Structures are given as C-alpha cells and as structure tokens.
Amino acid sequence: MNQIDSIAYHSKLAWIDPKAKLCFSLVLLCVCIGCRSILVGALVLLVTAGATLFFARLSLRRYLHFLSIPLGFLLVGTLTIFISVYPAGEKLLAGIPIGGSQVGISAQSFLEGLRLCATALGAVGCMYFLSFNTPMTGLFALFRKSPLPEVVVSLMELIYRYIFVLWEEAATMKTAQNARLGYQGIRHSIASFGTLVGTLFFRAYQRCDRIYSALESRGYQGSLEALQEEYQPGKGWYGATFLTAAAALGIFFLERSVL
C-alpha cells in the first residue's frame, strides 16, 4: 500500500483531473468485462499497462511483480475451468485416464479459461492504471462531489488512514521481535507470528482510539474537511477513452462475425 501510494504521488498524471482518469479506467473496465473476449482483454491490458509504465515511471519488472499478485489467485481460481472430468474416449488436448473417465483439458475449456484470464487481467490493468496514477486524496475529493453520502466518504478516508496504522504497528512489532531473535527457526517463527497477530489488533485499536480522540479535540464532527487541490484538465483522456473503447468494441464485433 505504501509503495502504490508513493508511485501515485510521483506519477506524471498525479495532478491531472481524477475524473478523467476514473472515466478512462471504468469505461475500459466495463468494456472488458462486457465483451469477455481474449483479444479485447489483451488490448485493454496492453493499453493500460503501457500507460501505467510510461506515466507512473514504472519498470516492466516492477509492474510484473505487482501483476503477479492477482495472477496467482487467478490461476488457482481458474484451475477448475481449465481442467475438468470427461467421458472416456473424448478428444482432449491433454488428459489422464482415471477409471471409466479422463481428467484433462479440452479445446473448449482451454479457450474458456484463457477468456476468463484475459478478462480478469484486463480489469486488473484498468484498476492498476487508476491506482498508480491517482493519489487517494484526489479520489476522495472526487467522491465528495458525487452523490455518495458524506458519511460513506468519511468512512473510506478513515479506513484508508487506519490501513497505515495497522501496517506501522505490525512493522514496529516485527522489528522488536527480530531484535530479540524471534524468527530464528521454524518453531520460534510460528510462535512469534502468532504473538504478532494476536497482539496487533489490540495495539492498533489503542492507537486508533488515540487518533480518534485527536480528531475530536480538533473539532471532528463526522466529516473530514481538507483543502481542495487544483488539478489540470484531462480532456485528452476522454478522447483516449473513446478511441480505446471503440477499438475494443470493433475487435469484439469483428471476432464475433468471424467466429
């Protein structure tokens, strides 16, 4: 979370109107999910990843590192789509006979799995573009101008702040455990990790209570007021949104007509 926040603040698009970037991400996200096409998912991922690498100043290796996190969950989740049980004698790309059936991958299941993976990765690319190029403060300011209730936006801001509270408390406790050789050996590591998890909630709760008391002492009444940043207009991104969405839809309809 700290890394993503730091990257967003150093992005070339950090001070571009968040509404334009949100429109770009959400429109491409809807197109990607609505089409459920391998080519459309690949196009959306290519466009969003390219924009993220260029504007957020990320190396390809670091971007792939971030992409590997959802990719691992995706591969585990789609494993049952790629691999299924089929009657004996059915033609498969790869399979193992077990009794009167066979377990393997058919051409249809392979394409369906690829389609799901491409759609999911395209959607992740859209969200990464928004996350790596838009500081959360800009999104919160945008949400305050939206029809969302004020209390919902305030809760989002507090939850976002408390993520760092939990992270800092966990880092402090782990540093103290390392200083006392708490992670030497498997037995000590398990015991230390269990102690960290068990104590973290209470330590974080106490610190959150102190933060809330500090907010109340400064006049907090359920709404966090902050100075509004001045953003540059992002009109060019609306055009990029239209062109990319039109290209994706064109590929989708062309693919449907061919197949």
Side-chain angles (χ1 to χ4, degrees), residues 74-240:
L74 178 62
L75 292 178
V76 173
T78 57
L79 191 62
T80 55
I81 296 177
F82 281 106
I83 303 175
S84 300
V85 180
Y86 300 93
E90 185 172 341
K91 187 177 181 181
L92 300 178
L93 297 178
I96 301 174
I98 300 178
S101 304
Q102 54 181 343
V103 178
I105 304 174
S106 67
Q108 183 178 358
S109 67
F110 181 71
L111 288 176
E112 184 62 30
L114 281 182
R115 186 178 295 111
L116 181 59
C117 288
T119 302
L121 289 177
V124 170
C126 294
M127 292 297 96
Y128 273 2
F129 170 81
L130 184 64
S131 302
F132 288 133
N133 293 286
T134 311
M136 289 301 297
T137 53
L139 288 178
F140 291 144
L142 179 61
F143 291 153
R144 287 190 178 279
K145 300 176 182 178
S146 70
L148 284 175
E150 183 74 20
V151 63
V152 173
V153 180
S154 296
L155 284 174
M156 291 168 62
E157 292 176 335
L158 289 174
I159 291 172
Y160 178 71
R161 174 65 182 94
Y162 288 155
I163 289 174
F164 294 98
V165 173
L166 285 170
W167 186 275
E168 292 169 4
E169 286 295 331
T172 302
M173 292 172 62
K174 189 171 182 180
T175 301
Q177 289 176 332
N178 280 325
R180 293 170 175 82
L181 304 180
Y183 289 90
Q184 297 297 316
I186 297 178
R187 185 172 65 85
H188 288 92
S189 298
I190 295 174
S192 297
F193 182 75
T195 303
L196 187 148
V197 173
T199 311
L200 178 61
F201 174 78
F202 299 101
R203 291 278 300 273
Y205 180 82
Q206 292 174 352
R207 186 169 174 185
C208 290
D209 186 62
R210 293 197 299 269
I211 291 175
Y212 186 77
S213 299
L215 286 172
E216 284 191 320
S217 67
R218 289 166 174 81
Y220 175 71
Q221 296 180 348
S223 176
L224 294 174
E225 300 295 338
L227 294 175
Q228 299 297 319
E229 299 285 352
E230 293 291 334
Y231 294 103
Q232 302 173 11
K235 297 179 180 180
W237 284 99
Y238 294 108

Side-chain angles (χ1 to χ4, degrees), residues 30-105:
C30 293
V31 169
C32 184
I33 295 176
C35 293
R36 289 181 60 85
S37 166
I38 297 176
L39 294 179
V40 171
L43 173 65
V44 171
L45 178 61
L46 182 64
V47 171
T48 54
T52 302
L53 291 175
F54 179 76
F55 292 107
R57 301 185 179 95
L58 279 178
S59 64
L60 180 60
R61 182 178 179 181
R62 194 174 185 188
Y63 185 82
L64 291 177
H65 169 72
F66 284 110
L67 196 63
S68 65
I69 300 172
L71 184 61
F73 291 100
L74 178 62
L75 292 178
V76 173
T78 57
L79 191 62
T80 55
I81 296 177
F82 281 106
I83 303 175
S84 300
V85 180
Y86 300 93
E90 185 172 341
K91 187 177 181 181
L92 300 178
L93 297 178
I96 301 174
I98 300 178
S101 304
Q102 54 181 343
V103 178
I105 304 174

